[in-house]
Amino acid sequence: HICFWEDCPREAKPFAKYKLNHIRVHTGREALSPAPFPGLRARSHSYRNLKIHKRTHTGEKPFKCEFDGCDRKFANSSDRKKHSHVHTSDKPYYCKIRGCDKSYTHPSSLRKHMKIHCKSP
């Protein structure tokens, strides 16, 4: 997804679907929290998002993988959930292009795969 709002500071950089609340930056429908670190432009719409974003600066990773023998840790529970599929046979991220039966354990692998469908002739 890309924000096409005039003068958006994202400058047409894509973002994930779950961040579609980004439009609130432009509409002012929800108050923004100030950026918590000096020199940081980012602002957050909710305390939860701000708390998770802070971890990118602090390095805090409170969510440990729940599989025995795996020492991976994550800044948020959704990243841990996505990682858990590498320990199972689950491949919940499916290519939705007709005739393609590929599926993946992680959404980033599916995004990489989708590039083969988007190549110009």
Side-chain angles (χ1 to χ4, degrees), residues 3 8-13 41:
C3 179
C8 178
R10 290 195 56 81
E11 300 172 346
K13 291 181 213 146
R41 288 182 0 179

Side-chain angles (χ1 to χ4, degrees), residues 92-105:
Y93 304 98
Y94 296 91
C95 179
K96 295 180 181 174
I97 303 295
R98 182 177 291 170
C100 185
D101 61 351
K102 299 284 186 176
S103 62
Y104 298 90
T105 60

